């Protein structure tokens, strides 16, 4: 699954260069140029990681980080121009995962991003470690799916699809959106790919695949994971 990064940086030239490098590495990047925009994009797009500049117009990086931490444990890498901010950044109050002091090496930043995303594990970036619904249990750290105490073996795409839908319960996704989010295709592709994966997934996790409890079909719209 393509990871989504929210880049918050008011220096347009730096933001542009970073976006370019991150996209080249296969990340999906949203850019916000001030703190207010950052919080808006954060709640709209549910990123996997945030790169957050400290000195920002409107709402500064400290306040943005505090606001984000109120809602989520998702990884935050702070960009700072001053060494003396580091204690505060990494301290309990803000709890950023890492920081880079400007000017920094983009390659170094990429290495840190990868390390953090590896640590948080796929799908677990939003701060959740486990999703449980009825007899179904998804361990987002170990990437294991258990039904009635028995582990179910899924292919990596089946797992990616299930954990994506289950991480966003009740939200309806069209097949196009699922292709984009789970497969990373943002072009017209064979939508039956999604249907076939959903079918196989249901055969594995649903007691009665024809009358599913977990992954529901929304006619004319797409699929959604049942809300608790
Ligand atoms: Ca700045």
């Amino acid at each position: 699954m393509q990871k989504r990064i929210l880049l918050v940086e008011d220096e347009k030239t730096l933001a542009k260069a970073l976006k370019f490098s991150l996209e080249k590495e296969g990340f999906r990047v949203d850019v916000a140029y001030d703190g207010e925009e950052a919080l808006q994009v954060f709640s709209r797009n549910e990123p996997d990681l945030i790169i957050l500049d400290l000195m920002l117009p409107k709402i500064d990086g400290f306040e943005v980080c505090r606001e984000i931490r109120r809602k989520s444990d998702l990884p935050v890498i702070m960009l700072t121009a001053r060494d003396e901010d580091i204690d505060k950044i990494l301290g309990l109050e803000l709890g950023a995962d890492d920081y880079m002091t400007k000017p920094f090496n983009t390659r170094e930043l990429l290495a840190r991003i990868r390390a953090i995303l590896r640590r948080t594990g796929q799908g677990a970036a939003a701060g959740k470690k486990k999703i449980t619904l009825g007899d179904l249990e998804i361990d987002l750290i170990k990437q294991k799916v258990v039904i009635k105490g028995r582990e179910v073996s899924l292919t990596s795409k089946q797992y990616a699809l299930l954990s994506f839908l289950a991480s966003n319960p009740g939200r309806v996704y069209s097949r196009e959106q699922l292709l984009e989010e789970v497969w990373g295709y943002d072009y017209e592709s064979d939508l039956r790919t999604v249907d076939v994966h959903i079918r196989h997934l249901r055969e594995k996790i649903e007691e009665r695949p024809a009358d599913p409890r977990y992954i529901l079909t929304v006619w004319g719209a797409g699929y959604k994971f049942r809300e608790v």
Side-chain angles (χ1 to χ4, degrees):
M1 204 192 316
Q2 206 182 12
K3 294 288 183 185
R4 194 160 191 164
I5 293 180
L6 168 56
L7 170 63
V8 189
E9 172 59 72
D10 59 313
E11 287 166 52
K12 294 232 159 82
T13 325
L14 178 58
K16 243 175 135 175
L18 280 178
K19 182 174 159 60
F20 178 79
S21 307
L22 290 165
E23 283 176 343
K24 223 172 77 186
E25 291 296 308
F27 294 108
R28 202 165 148 188
V29 185
D30 303 302
V31 182
Y33 296 109
D34 63 61
E36 206 174 277
E37 197 186 1
L39 291 172
Q40 283 163 5
V41 179
F42 163 72
S43 38
R44 198 172 57 224
N45 290 352
E46 296 175 12
D48 296 295
L49 182 142
I50 300 184
I51 301 170
L52 180 60
D53 184 33
L54 203 50
M55 303 309 277
L56 290 168
K58 294 186 187 171
I59 306 173
D60 73 11
F62 285 126
E63 197 45 47
V64 171
C65 193
R66 231 174 259 132
E67 204 46 52
I68 285 167
R69 276 286 170 265
R70 244 171 244 155
K71 295 170 188 148
S72 150
D73 288 329
L74 106 168
V76 175
I77 299 179
M78 290 278 231
L79 306 180
T80 172
R82 301 189 307 234
D83 278 337
E84 59 261 36
D85 293 324
I86 290 160
D87 277 352
K88 197 171 172 192
I89 289 172
L90 297 180
L92 281 177
E93 193 195 350
L94 290 179
D97 294 76
D98 207 345
Y99 70 94
M100 300 286 291
T101 308
K102 289 179 179 178
F104 55 83
N105 182 314
T106 306
R107 243 192 254 171
E108 176 63 27
L109 175 65
L110 286 167
R112 305 241 186 135
I113 291 171
R114 275 190 227 102
I116 288 178
L117 288 176
R118 257 200 313 275
R119 227 160 43 217
T120 47
Q122 254 189 335
K128 268 197 160 177
K129 294 178 175 69
K130 221 169 235 182
I131 296 171
T132 314
L133 182 64
D135 298 325
L136 174 70
E137 199 181 294
I138 306 168
D139 187 325
L140 296 170
I141 306 288
K142 296 181 185 155
Q143 302 192 22
K144 256 174 43 177
V145 175
V146 171
I147 300 263
K148 288 183 178 167
R150 196 175 51 88
E151 189 175 344
V152 185
S153 135
L154 300 179
T155 66
S156 61
K157 267 291 173 286
Q158 286 165 358
Y159 174 81
L161 183 59
L162 176 64
S163 59
F164 176 74
L165 285 168
S167 298
N168 303 280
R171 194 159 147 191
V172 182
Y173 289 95
S174 69
R175 293 180 293 173
E176 288 89 345
Q177 282 171 323
L178 289 172
L179 265 186
E180 189 182 332
E181 296 289 345
V182 179
W183 278 262
Y185 304 155
D186 53 0
Y187 48 86
E188 279 297 307
S189 187
D190 194 348
L191 296 173
R192 282 171 307 180
T193 305
V194 177
D195 299 329
V196 171
H197 273 78
I198 295 272
R199 200 177 71 231
H200 289 314
L201 198 48
R202 281 174 173 160
E203 282 162 6
K204 286 183 176 175
I205 67 166
E206 302 279 0
E207 205 164 350
R208 291 189 303 276
D211 179 24
R213 287 178 62 197
Y214 301 114
I215 299 175
L216 310 179
T217 302
V218 182
W219 294 109
Y223 297 101
K224 70 173 182 185
F225 193 81
R226 184 188 291 271
E227 246 174 316
V228 184

